[in-house]
Coordinates of all heavy atoms in Angstrom, one line a residue:
M1 N 8.0 14.0 6.6 CA 9.3 13.4 6.5 C 9.9 13.7 5.2 O 9.2 13.4 4.1 CB 9.5 11.9 6.9 CG 10.7 11.5 6.9 SD 10.8 9.6 7.4 CE 10.0 9.0 6.0
D2 N 11.1 14.2 5.2 CA 11.7 14.6 3.9 C 12.4 13.3 3.4 O 12.8 12.4 4.1 CB 12.7 15.8 4.1 CG 13.9 15.7 4.8 OD1 14.3 14.5 5.2 OD2 14.6 16.6 5.2
K3 N 12.8 13.5 2.1 CA 13.4 12.3 1.4 C 14.7 12.0 1.9 O 15.2 10.8 2.0 CB 13.6 12.7 -0.2 CG 14.0 11.5 -1.1 CD 12.9 10.6 -1.1 CE 13.3 9.5 -2.3 NZ 12.4 8.4 -2.0
Q4 N 15.5 12.9 2.4 CA 16.8 12.7 3.0 C 16.7 11.8 4.4 O 17.5 10.9 4.5 CB 17.6 14.0 3.2 CG 18.9 13.8 3.7 CD 19.7 14.9 3.9 OE1 19.2 16.1 3.8 NE2 21.0 14.9 4.3
M5 N 15.7 12.2 5.1 CA 15.5 11.3 6.4 C 15.1 10.0 6.0 O 15.5 9.0 6.6 CB 14.5 12.1 7.3 CG 14.3 11.5 8.6 SD 15.8 11.7 9.5 CE 16.0 10.0 10.2
E6 N 14.2 9.9 5.0 CA 13.8 8.4 4.6 C 15.0 7.6 4.1 O 15.1 6.5 4.6 CB 12.8 8.6 3.5 CG 12.2 7.3 3.0 CD 11.3 7.4 1.9 OE1 11.2 8.3 1.2 OE2 10.4 6.5 1.7
E7 N 15.8 8.4 3.4 CA 17.1 7.6 2.8 C 17.9 7.2 4.1 O 18.5 6.1 4.0 CB 17.7 8.5 1.8 CG 17.1 8.5 0.6 CD 17.7 9.5 -0.4 OE1 18.8 10.0 -0.1 OE2 17.1 9.7 -1.6
S8 N 18.1 8.1 5.0 CA 18.9 7.7 6.2 C 18.4 6.7 7.0 O 19.1 5.8 7.5 CB 18.9 9.0 7.2 OG 19.6 10.0 6.5
M9 N 17.0 6.6 7.1 CA 16.4 5.4 7.8 C 16.6 4.2 7.1 O 17.0 3.2 7.7 CB 14.9 5.8 8.1 CG 14.7 7.0 9.1 SD 12.9 7.5 9.1 CE 12.3 6.0 10.2
F10 N 16.3 4.2 5.8 CA 16.6 3.0 5.0 C 18.0 2.5 5.0 O 18.4 1.4 5.2 CB 16.1 3.1 3.5 CG 14.8 2.8 3.3 CD1 13.7 3.8 3.3 CD2 14.3 1.4 3.2 CE1 12.4 3.4 3.0 CE2 12.9 1.2 3.0 CZ 12.1 2.1 2.8
G11 N 19.1 3.6 5.1 CA 20.4 3.3 5.1 C 20.7 2.5 6.5 O 21.5 1.7 6.5
A12 N 20.1 3.0 7.5 CA 20.4 2.4 8.8 C 19.8 0.9 8.9 O 20.4 0.0 9.4 CB 19.8 3.3 9.9
L13 N 18.7 0.8 8.2 CA 18.0 -0.6 8.2 C 18.8 -1.5 7.3 O 18.7 -2.8 7.6 CB 16.6 -0.5 7.7 CG 15.6 0.2 8.7 CD1 14.3 0.6 8.1 CD2 15.7 -0.5 9.9
E14 N 19.7 -1.1 6.4 CA 20.6 -1.9 5.7 C 21.6 -2.7 6.6 O 22.2 -3.6 6.1 CB 21.3 -1.2 4.5 CG 20.3 -0.8 3.4 CD 20.9 -0.1 2.3 OE1 22.1 0.4 2.5 OE2 20.3 0.0 1.3
N15 N 21.7 -2.2 7.8 CA 22.7 -2.7 8.8 C 22.0 -4.0 9.6 O 22.7 -4.6 10.3 CB 23.1 -1.7 9.7 CG 24.1 -0.8 9.0 OD1 24.9 -1.2 8.3 ND2 23.8 0.5 9.4
V16 N 20.6 -4.1 9.3 CA 19.9 -5.1 10.0 C 19.9 -6.5 9.0 O 19.4 -6.5 8.0 CB 18.5 -4.8 10.3 CG1 17.7 -5.9 11.0 CG2 18.5 -3.5 11.2
I17 N 20.6 -7.4 9.6 CA 20.8 -8.6 8.7 C 19.9 -9.7 9.1 O 19.7 -10.0 10.2 CB 22.3 -9.2 8.8 CG1 23.3 -8.0 8.5 CG2 22.5 -10.3 8.0 CD1 23.2 -7.4 7.0
D18 N 19.1 -10.4 8.2 CA 18.4 -11.5 8.5 C 19.4 -12.7 8.8 O 20.2 -13.1 7.9 CB 17.5 -11.8 7.3 CG 16.6 -13.1 7.5 OD1 17.2 -14.2 7.9 OD2 15.4 -13.1 7.4
P19 N 19.4 -13.2 10.1 CA 20.3 -14.1 10.5 C 20.3 -15.5 9.7 O 21.3 -16.1 9.6 CB 20.1 -14.3 12.0 CG 19.0 -13.5 12.4 CD 18.4 -12.8 11.1
E20 N 19.1 -15.8 9.1 CA 19.1 -17.0 8.4 C 19.5 -17.0 7.0 O 20.1 -17.8 6.5 CB 17.5 -17.6 8.4 CG 17.0 -18.0 9.8 CD 15.6 -18.5 9.7 OE1 14.7 -17.8 9.1 OE2 15.3 -19.6 10.2
L21 N 19.4 -15.8 6.4 CA 19.8 -15.7 5.0 C 21.0 -14.8 4.8 O 21.7 -14.9 3.8 CB 18.6 -14.9 4.2 CG 17.3 -15.6 4.2 CD1 16.2 -14.8 3.5 CD2 17.5 -17.1 3.5
G22 N 21.4 -14.1 5.8 CA 22.8 -13.4 5.7 C 22.7 -12.1 4.8 O 23.7 -11.7 4.4
I23 N 21.5 -11.7 4.6 CA 21.3 -10.5 3.7 C 20.5 -9.5 4.5 O 19.6 -9.9 5.3 CB 20.5 -10.8 2.4 CG1 21.3 -12.0 1.7 CG2 20.3 -9.5 1.6 CD1 22.6 -11.6 1.0
D24 N 20.7 -8.2 4.2 CA 19.9 -7.1 5.0 C 18.5 -7.1 4.6 O 18.2 -7.5 3.5 CB 20.7 -5.8 4.9 CG 20.5 -5.3 3.5 OD1 19.5 -4.6 3.2 OD2 21.4 -5.4 2.7
I25 N 17.8 -6.5 5.6 CA 16.2 -6.7 5.4 C 15.7 -5.7 4.3 O 14.7 -5.9 3.7 CB 15.6 -6.4 6.7 CG1 15.9 -5.0 7.3 CG2 15.9 -7.4 7.7 CD1 15.0 -4.6 8.5
V26 N 16.5 -4.6 4.0 CA 16.2 -3.8 2.9 C 16.3 -4.4 1.6 O 15.4 -4.5 0.7 CB 17.0 -2.5 3.0 CG1 16.7 -1.6 1.7 CG2 16.7 -1.7 4.2
N27 N 17.4 -5.1 1.3 CA 17.6 -5.8 0.1 C 16.8 -7.0 -0.2 O 16.5 -7.4 -1.2 CB 19.2 -6.1 -0.2 CG 19.9 -4.8 -0.6 OD1 19.7 -4.5 -1.7 ND2 20.9 -4.3 0.2
L28 N 16.5 -7.6 1.1 CA 15.5 -8.6 1.1 C 14.0 -8.3 0.5 O 13.2 -9.1 0.3 CB 15.5 -9.4 2.2 CG 16.7 -10.3 2.5 CD1 16.5 -10.9 3.9 CD2 16.7 -11.5 1.6
G29 N 13.8 -7.0 0.7 CA 12.5 -6.5 0.4 C 11.5 -6.6 1.4 O 10.3 -6.6 1.3
L30 N 12.0 -6.7 2.7 CA 11.1 -6.9 3.8 C 10.5 -5.6 4.3 O 9.5 -5.5 5.1 CB 11.8 -7.6 5.0 CG 12.4 -9.0 4.6 CD1 13.1 -9.7 5.9 CD2 11.2 -9.9 4.3
V31 N 11.2 -4.3 4.0 CA 10.9 -3.1 4.6 C 9.9 -2.4 3.5 O 10.4 -2.2 2.4 CB 11.9 -2.3 4.9 CG1 11.5 -0.9 5.5 CG2 12.9 -3.0 6.0
Y32 N 8.7 -2.3 3.9 CA 7.6 -1.7 3.0 C 7.6 -0.2 3.1 O 7.3 0.6 2.1 CB 6.3 -2.3 3.3 CG 6.1 -3.6 2.9 CD1 5.0 -4.5 3.4 CD2 6.9 -4.4 2.1 CE1 4.9 -5.9 3.0 CE2 6.9 -5.7 1.7 CZ 5.9 -6.4 2.2 OH 5.7 -7.8 1.8
G33 N 7.9 0.3 4.3 CA 7.9 1.8 4.5 C 8.3 2.2 5.8 O 8.3 1.5 6.8
V34 N 8.8 3.5 5.9 CA 9.2 4.1 7.1 C 8.6 5.5 7.3 O 8.3 6.0 6.2 CB 10.8 4.2 7.2 CG1 11.5 2.9 7.2 CG2 11.3 5.1 6.2
N35 N 8.5 6.0 8.5 CA 8.1 7.4 8.7 C 8.6 7.8 10.0 O 9.1 7.1 10.8 CB 6.5 7.4 8.6 CG 5.9 6.6 9.7 OD1 6.1 6.9 10.9 ND2 5.0 5.6 9.4
L36 N 8.7 9.1 10.1 CA 9.1 9.8 11.3 C 8.2 11.0 11.6 O 8.2 11.8 10.8 CB 10.7 10.2 11.1 CG 11.3 10.8 12.4 CD1 11.5 9.7 13.4 CD2 12.6 11.3 12.0
D37 N 7.8 11.1 12.9 CA 6.9 12.2 13.2 C 7.8 13.3 13.9 O 9.0 13.1 14.0 CB 5.7 11.8 14.1 CG 6.1 11.4 15.5 OD1 7.2 11.7 16.0 OD2 5.1 10.9 16.1
E38 N 7.1 14.5 14.1 CA 7.9 15.7 14.5 C 8.4 15.4 16.0 O 9.3 16.1 16.4 CB 7.1 16.9 14.5 CG 5.6 16.8 15.3 CD 4.5 16.0 14.7 OE1 4.5 15.9 13.6 OE2 3.6 15.8 15.5
D39 N 7.9 14.4 16.7 CA 8.4 14.1 18.1 C 9.6 13.2 18.0 O 10.0 12.7 19.1 CB 7.4 13.6 18.9 CG 6.2 14.7 19.2 OD1 6.6 15.9 19.2 OD2 5.0 14.3 19.1
G40 N 10.0 12.6 16.8 CA 11.1 11.7 16.8 C 10.6 10.2 17.0 O 11.5 9.4 17.1
N41 N 9.3 10.0 16.7 CA 8.8 8.6 16.8 C 8.9 8.0 15.4 O 8.2 8.5 14.5 CB 7.4 8.6 17.3 CG 7.4 9.2 18.8 OD1 8.2 8.7 19.6 ND2 6.4 10.2 18.9
A42 N 9.7 6.9 15.2 CA 9.8 6.4 14.0 C 8.7 5.3 13.9 O 8.4 4.5 14.8 CB 11.3 5.7 13.7
G43 N 8.2 5.0 12.7 CA 7.4 3.9 12.3 C 8.1 3.1 11.2 O 8.5 3.6 10.3
V44 N 8.1 1.8 11.3 CA 8.5 0.9 10.2 C 7.5 -0.2 9.9 O 6.9 -0.8 10.9 CB 9.9 0.2 10.6 CG1 10.2 -0.8 9.5 CG2 10.9 1.2 10.9
E45 N 7.0 -0.2 8.6 CA 6.1 -1.2 8.3 C 6.9 -2.3 7.5 O 7.5 -1.9 6.4 CB 5.0 -0.6 7.4 CG 4.0 -1.8 7.0 CD 2.8 -1.1 6.4 OE1 1.9 -0.5 7.2 OE2 2.4 -1.3 5.2
M46 N 6.9 -3.4 7.9 CA 7.7 -4.5 7.2 C 7.0 -5.9 7.3 O 5.9 -6.0 8.0 CB 9.0 -4.6 7.9 CG 9.1 -4.9 9.3 SD 10.8 -5.1 10.0 CE 11.3 -6.5 9.2
T47 N 7.5 -6.8 6.7 CA 7.1 -8.1 6.8 C 8.2 -9.1 7.2 O 9.5 -8.6 7.3 CB 6.4 -8.6 5.6 OG1 5.7 -9.9 5.7 CG2 7.4 -8.8 4.4
L48 N 8.0 -10.3 7.2 CA 9.1 -11.4 7.4 C 9.0 -12.3 6.2 O 8.0 -12.3 5.6 CB 9.0 -12.0 8.7 CG 9.0 -11.2 9.9 CD1 8.6 -11.8 11.3 CD2 10.3 -10.5 10.1
T49 N 9.9 -13.2 6.0 CA 10.0 -14.1 4.9 C 8.8 -15.1 5.1 O 8.3 -15.7 4.1 CB 11.3 -14.8 4.8 OG1 11.6 -15.4 6.0 CG2 12.3 -13.7 4.3
S50 N 8.4 -15.4 6.2 CA 7.4 -16.4 6.5 C 6.8 -16.1 7.9 O 7.2 -15.4 8.9 CB 7.8 -17.8 6.6 OG 8.8 -18.0 7.7
M51 N 5.4 -16.5 8.0 CA 4.7 -16.2 9.3 C 5.3 -16.9 10.4 O 5.3 -16.3 11.4 CB 3.2 -16.5 9.1 CG 2.4 -15.7 8.3 SD 0.7 -16.3 8.3 CE -0.1 -14.7 8.8
G52 N 6.0 -18.0 10.2 CA 6.6 -18.7 11.4 C 7.9 -18.3 11.6 O 8.7 -19.0 12.2
C53 N 8.5 -17.3 11.0 CA 9.9 -16.9 11.0 C 10.2 -16.9 12.5 O 10.0 -16.0 13.3 CB 10.2 -15.6 10.4 SG 11.9 -15.1 10.4
P54 N 11.3 -17.7 12.9 CA 11.7 -17.8 14.3 C 12.6 -16.6 14.6 O 12.9 -16.3 15.7 CB 12.5 -19.1 14.5 CG 13.0 -19.4 13.0 CD 11.9 -18.8 12.1
M55 N 13.1 -15.9 13.6 CA 14.1 -14.9 13.9 C 13.4 -13.4 13.9 O 14.0 -12.4 14.1 CB 15.1 -14.7 12.8 CG 16.1 -15.8 12.7 SD 17.0 -15.9 14.2 CE 16.6 -17.5 14.8
G56 N 12.0 -13.4 13.8 CA 11.2 -12.3 13.9 C 11.6 -11.3 14.9 O 11.8 -10.2 14.8
P57 N 11.5 -11.9 16.3 CA 11.8 -10.9 17.4 C 13.3 -10.4 17.3 O 13.4 -9.1 17.6 CB 11.6 -11.9 18.5 CG 10.6 -12.9 18.2 CD 11.1 -13.1 16.8
Q58 N 14.2 -11.2 16.9 CA 15.6 -10.7 16.7 C 15.6 -9.7 15.7 O 16.4 -8.6 15.8 CB 16.5 -11.9 16.4 CG 17.9 -11.5 16.4 CD 18.8 -12.7 16.1 OE1 18.5 -13.8 16.3 NE2 20.0 -12.5 15.7
I59 N 15.0 -9.8 14.5 CA 15.0 -8.8 13.6 C 14.3 -7.5 14.0 O 14.9 -6.4 13.7 CB 14.3 -9.3 12.2 CG1 15.1 -10.5 11.6 CG2 14.1 -8.3 11.2 CD1 14.5 -11.3 10.6
V60 N 13.1 -7.6 14.6 CA 12.5 -6.4 15.1 C 13.5 -5.5 16.1 O 13.6 -4.4 16.1 CB 11.2 -6.8 15.8 CG1 10.6 -5.5 16.7 CG2 10.2 -7.2 14.9
D61 N 14.1 -6.4 17.0 CA 15.1 -5.6 17.9 C 16.3 -5.0 17.1 O 16.6 -3.9 17.4 CB 15.7 -6.7 18.9 CG 14.8 -7.2 20.0 OD1 13.7 -6.5 20.2 OD2 15.1 -8.3 20.6
G62 N 16.8 -5.6 16.0 CA 17.7 -5.2 15.1 C 17.3 -3.9 14.5 O 18.1 -2.8 14.4
V63 N 16.0 -3.8 14.2 CA 15.4 -2.5 13.5 C 15.4 -1.4 14.6 O 15.9 -0.3 14.2 CB 13.9 -2.8 13.0 CG1 13.2 -1.6 12.6 CG2 14.0 -3.7 11.8
K64 N 15.0 -1.6 15.8 CA 14.9 -0.7 16.8 C 16.3 -0.1 17.1 O 16.4 1.0 17.3 CB 14.2 -1.2 17.9 CG 12.8 -1.5 17.8 CD 12.1 -2.0 18.9 CE 10.5 -2.1 18.8 NZ 9.8 -2.5 20.0
Q65 N 17.3 -1.0 17.2 CA 18.7 -0.7 17.5 C 19.2 0.1 16.5 O 19.9 1.2 16.7 CB 19.5 -1.8 17.8 CG 19.2 -2.6 19.1 CD 20.0 -3.9 19.2 OE1 20.9 -4.1 18.6 NE2 19.6 -4.7 20.3
A66 N 19.0 -0.3 15.1 CA 19.6 0.5 13.9 C 19.0 1.8 13.9 O 19.8 2.9 13.7 CB 19.3 -0.3 12.7
L67 N 17.8 2.1 14.1 CA 17.1 3.4 14.0 C 17.5 4.3 15.3 O 17.6 5.5 15.1 CB 15.6 3.3 13.9 CG 15.2 2.8 12.4 CD1 13.7 2.7 12.3 CD2 15.8 3.5 11.3
A68 N 17.7 3.7 16.5 CA 18.2 4.3 17.6 C 19.4 5.0 17.3 O 19.8 6.1 18.1 CB 18.2 3.4 18.7
E69 N 20.3 4.7 16.4 CA 21.6 5.3 16.1 C 21.5 6.6 15.4 O 22.2 7.4 15.5 CB 22.3 4.4 15.1 CG 22.6 2.9 15.7 CD 23.9 2.9 16.5 OE1 24.8 3.6 16.2 OE2 23.9 2.0 17.5
L70 N 20.2 6.9 14.9 CA 19.9 8.2 14.2 C 19.6 9.1 15.3 O 18.6 9.0 16.1 CB 18.9 8.0 13.1 CG 19.1 7.0 12.0 CD1 18.0 6.9 11.1 CD2 20.3 7.5 11.2
P71 N 20.2 10.3 15.3 CA 20.0 11.3 16.5 C 18.5 11.8 16.3 O 18.0 12.3 17.3 CB 21.0 12.5 16.0 CG 21.4 12.2 14.6 CD 21.2 10.8 14.4
E72 N 17.8 11.8 15.0 CA 16.5 12.3 15.0 C 15.5 11.4 15.7 O 14.3 11.8 15.9 CB 16.2 12.5 13.6 CG 17.0 13.5 12.9 CD 18.4 13.1 12.2 OE1 18.6 11.8 12.5 OE2 19.0 13.7 11.5
V73 N 15.7 10.1 15.8 CA 14.9 9.0 16.2 C 14.9 8.9 17.7 O 15.9 8.7 18.4 CB 15.2 7.7 15.6 CG1 14.3 6.5 16.1 CG2 15.1 7.9 14.0
N74 N 13.8 9.0 18.4 CA 13.7 8.9 19.9 C 13.1 7.5 20.2 O 13.5 6.9 21.2 CB 12.7 9.9 20.4 CG 13.3 11.3 20.3 OD1 14.5 11.4 20.5 ND2 12.5 12.3 20.0
D75 N 12.1 7.0 19.5 CA 11.6 5.7 19.6 C 11.1 5.0 18.4 O 10.9 5.8 17.3 CB 10.3 5.9 20.6 CG 9.8 4.5 21.1 OD1 10.6 3.6 21.3 OD2 8.6 4.5 21.5
T76 N 11.0 3.8 18.3 CA 10.6 3.0 17.1 C 9.6 2.1 17.3 O 9.5 1.3 18.3 CB 11.8 2.4 16.4 OG1 12.8 3.3 16.1 CG2 11.3 1.6 15.1
D77 N 8.5 2.1 16.5 CA 7.4 1.2 16.5 C 7.5 0.3 15.2 O 7.6 1.0 14.0 CB 5.9 1.9 16.6 CG 5.0 0.9 16.5 OD1 4.9 -0.1 17.4 OD2 3.9 1.0 15.8
V78 N 7.6 -0.9 15.4 CA 7.7 -1.7 14.1 C 6.4 -2.6 14.0 O 5.8 -3.1 14.9 CB 8.8 -2.9 14.3 CG1 8.9 -3.6 13.1 CG2 10.2 -2.3 14.5
N79 N 5.8 -2.3 12.9 CA 4.4 -3.0 12.6 C 4.7 -4.1 11.5 O 5.1 -3.9 10.4 CB 3.5 -1.9 12.0 CG 2.0 -2.6 11.6 OD1 1.7 -3.5 12.1 ND2 1.4 -1.9 10.6
I80 N 4.6 -5.3 11.9 CA 4.8 -6.5 11.0 C 3.4 -6.7 10.3 O 2.4 -6.9 11.0 CB 5.2 -7.7 11.8 CG1 6.5 -7.5 12.5 CG2 5.3 -9.0 10.9 CD1 7.7 -7.4 11.7
V81 N 3.5 -6.8 9.0 CA 2.3 -6.9 8.1 C 2.5 -8.2 7.3 O 3.6 -8.5 7.1 CB 1.8 -5.8 7.3 CG1 1.6 -4.5 8.2 CG2 3.0 -5.4 6.5
W82 N 1.4 -8.8 6.8 CA 1.5 -10.0 6.0 C 0.8 -9.7 4.6 O 0.7 -10.6 3.9 CB 0.7 -11.1 6.7 CG 1.3 -11.3 8.0 CD1 0.9 -11.2 9.3 CD2 2.7 -11.9 8.2 NE1 1.9 -11.5 10.2 CE2 2.9 -12.0 9.7 CE3 3.8 -12.2 7.4 CZ2 4.1 -12.5 10.2 CZ3 5.0 -12.7 8.0 CH2 5.1 -12.8 9.4
N83 N 0.4 -8.4 4.4 CA -0.2 -8.2 3.2 C 0.4 -6.8 2.7 O 0.2 -5.8 3.4 CB -1.7 -8.0 3.3 CG -2.4 -7.9 2.1 OD1 -1.9 -8.4 0.9 ND2 -3.7 -7.6 2.0
P84 N 1.0 -6.7 1.5 CA 1.2 -7.8 0.6 C 2.2 -8.9 1.1 O 3.1 -8.5 1.8 CB 1.7 -7.0 -0.7 CG 2.5 -6.0 -0.1 CD 1.7 -5.5 1.1
P85 N 2.0 -10.1 0.8 CA 2.9 -11.1 1.3 C 4.2 -11.0 0.6 O 4.5 -10.5 -0.5 CB 2.4 -12.4 0.9 CG 1.3 -12.0 -0.2 CD 0.8 -10.7 0.1
W86 N 5.4 -11.4 1.4 CA 6.7 -11.3 0.8 C 7.0 -12.5 -0.2 O 6.4 -13.5 0.0 CB 7.7 -11.4 2.0 CG 9.2 -11.4 1.4 CD1 9.8 -10.3 1.0 CD2 10.0 -12.4 1.1 NE1 11.1 -10.6 0.6 CE2 11.2 -12.0 0.7 CE3 9.8 -13.9 1.2 CZ2 12.3 -12.7 0.2 CZ3 10.9 -14.7 0.7 CH2 12.1 -14.2 0.3
D87 N 7.7 -12.1 -1.3 CA 8.2 -13.3 -2.1 C 9.4 -12.8 -2.7 O 9.9 -11.7 -2.6 CB 7.0 -13.6 -3.2 CG 6.8 -12.4 -4.1 OD1 7.7 -11.6 -4.5 OD2 5.6 -12.3 -4.6
K88 N 10.1 -13.7 -3.4 CA 11.4 -13.4 -3.9 C 11.6 -12.2 -4.9 O 12.5 -11.6 -5.0 CB 12.0 -14.6 -4.5 CG 11.4 -15.1 -5.7 CD 12.1 -16.3 -6.2 CE 11.5 -16.8 -7.6 NZ 12.1 -17.8 -8.2
D89 N 10.4 -11.9 -5.5 CA 10.4 -10.8 -6.5 C 10.8 -9.4 -5.8 O 10.9 -8.4 -6.5 CB 9.0 -10.7 -7.2 CG 8.9 -11.8 -8.2 OD1 10.0 -12.5 -8.5 OD2 7.7 -12.3 -8.5
K90 N 10.5 -9.4 -4.4 CA 10.7 -8.1 -3.7 C 12.1 -7.9 -3.4 O 12.5 -6.7 -3.0 CB 9.9 -8.1 -2.4 CG 8.4 -8.1 -2.6 CD 7.6 -8.0 -1.4 CE 6.2 -7.8 -1.5 NZ 5.4 -8.0 -2.8
M91 N 13.0 -8.9 -3.6 CA 14.5 -8.9 -3.3 C 15.1 -7.9 -4.4 O 14.7 -8.0 -5.5 CB 15.1 -10.3 -3.3 CG 14.5 -11.2 -2.2 SD 15.1 -12.9 -2.2 CE 16.5 -12.9 -3.0
S92 N 16.1 -7.2 -4.0 CA 16.9 -6.5 -4.9 C 17.7 -7.4 -5.6 O 17.9 -8.5 -5.3 CB 17.9 -5.5 -4.1 OG 18.9 -6.3 -3.5
R93 N 18.3 -6.8 -6.8 CA 19.2 -7.6 -7.7 C 20.3 -8.3 -6.9 O 20.8 -9.3 -7.1 CB 19.6 -6.8 -8.9 CG 20.4 -7.6 -9.9 CD 20.8 -6.6 -11.1 NE 21.7 -7.3 -12.0 CZ 22.9 -7.3 -12.0 NH1 23.5 -6.6 -11.1 NH2 23.6 -8.0 -12.9
Y94 N 20.8 -7.3 -6.0 CA 22.0 -7.8 -5.2 C 21.7 -9.0 -4.4 O 22.4 -10.1 -4.2 CB 22.4 -6.6 -4.3 CG 23.2 -7.0 -3.0 CD1 24.6 -7.4 -3.1 CD2 22.7 -7.2 -1.8 CE1 25.3 -7.8 -2.1 CE2 23.3 -7.5 -0.8 CZ 24.7 -7.9 -0.8 OH 25.4 -8.3 0.3
A95 N 20.6 -9.0 -3.6 CA 20.1 -10.1 -2.9 C 19.9 -11.3 -3.7 O 20.3 -12.4 -3.3 CB 18.9 -9.8 -2.0
K96 N 19.3 -11.1 -4.7 CA 19.0 -12.3 -5.7 C 20.3 -13.1 -6.0 O 20.5 -14.2 -6.0 CB 18.3 -12.0 -6.8 CG 16.9 -11.6 -6.5 CD 16.0 -11.2 -7.8 CE 14.5 -10.9 -7.5 NZ 13.8 -10.5 -8.6
I97 N 21.3 -12.2 -6.4 CA 22.7 -12.6 -6.8 C 23.4 -13.5 -5.7 O 23.8 -14.5 -5.6 CB 23.6 -11.7 -7.4 CG1 23.1 -11.2 -8.8 CG2 25.1 -12.1 -7.5 CD1 23.6 -10.0 -9.4
A98 N 23.4 -12.7 -4.5 CA 24.0 -13.3 -3.3 C 23.3 -14.6 -2.9 O 24.1 -15.5 -2.4 CB 23.9 -12.3 -2.1
L99 N 22.1 -14.8 -3.1 CA 21.4 -16.0 -2.7 C 21.2 -17.1 -3.8 O 20.7 -18.1 -3.6 CB 19.9 -15.7 -2.1 CG 20.1 -14.9 -0.8 CD1 18.7 -14.6 -0.3 CD2 20.7 -15.7 0.4
G100 N 21.7 -16.6 -5.0 CA 21.5 -17.5 -6.2 C 20.1 -17.7 -6.6 O 19.7 -18.7 -7.2
V101 N 19.3 -16.7 -6.5 CA 17.9 -16.7 -6.9 C 17.8 -16.0 -8.3 O 18.2 -15.0 -8.5 CB 17.0 -16.1 -5.8 CG1 15.5 -16.0 -6.3 CG2 17.1 -16.7 -4.4
S102 N 17.0 -16.7 -9.1 CA 16.7 -15.9 -10.4 C 15.4 -15.6 -10.5 O 14.4 -15.8 -9.7 CB 17.1 -16.9 -11.5 OG 16.2 -18.1 -11.4

């Protein structure tokens, strides 16, 4: 997968908002990596802010819908991982300012 496609995928994922925090999953630092194979199968490795996050299924659906908007993507598999664990240091400067986190 080329860098431009990776950027397109991350750009699409910036439209997926964590409903509890009101910030997109990319700026929250929840997306660890993306890939796309030659058949148009996308893979997303990501985490959630907590293991018991009640919005997990909604966020996963949002990821699949966002990537389905890209013509190169036929299907998406979302892999939720817990290692490395998420913490506020993974958030972008924008997200930290928006949430008042230092």
Side-chain angles (χ1 to χ4, degrees):
M1 178 177 72
D2 64 18
K3 188 71 175 164
Q4 185 176 4
M5 189 65 226
E6 180 181 29
E7 289 173 4
S8 293
M9 292 174 74
F10 270 99
L13 293 175
E14 286 180 348
N15 294 313
V16 180
I17 306 298
D18 181 305
E20 292 183 309
L21 299 175
I23 305 291
D24 70 86
I25 62 173
V26 173
N27 278 293
L28 283 174
L30 298 177
V31 180
Y32 293 162
V34 297
N35 61 62
L36 184 69
D37 70 18
E38 61 279 347
D39 295 324
N41 298 310
V44 178
E45 184 167 288
M46 63 175 291
T47 194
L48 300 170
T49 55
S50 68
M51 283 185 128
C53 178
M55 295 293 119
Q58 185 176 340
I59 292 170
V60 168
D61 287 345
V63 167
K64 291 179 179 185
Q65 289 175 10
L67 292 180
E69 303 272 329
L70 298 174
E72 299 88 350
V73 175
N74 295 322
D75 193 27
T76 301
D77 179 52
V78 180
N79 183 26
I80 302 290
V81 298
W82 302 109
N83 195 17
W86 180 85
D87 63 39
K88 67 179 184 176
D89 292 335
K90 293 187 178 3
M91 293 171 29
S92 71
R93 183 173 179 270
Y94 160 77
K96 288 178 182 178
I97 290 170
L99 295 173
V101 175
S102 54

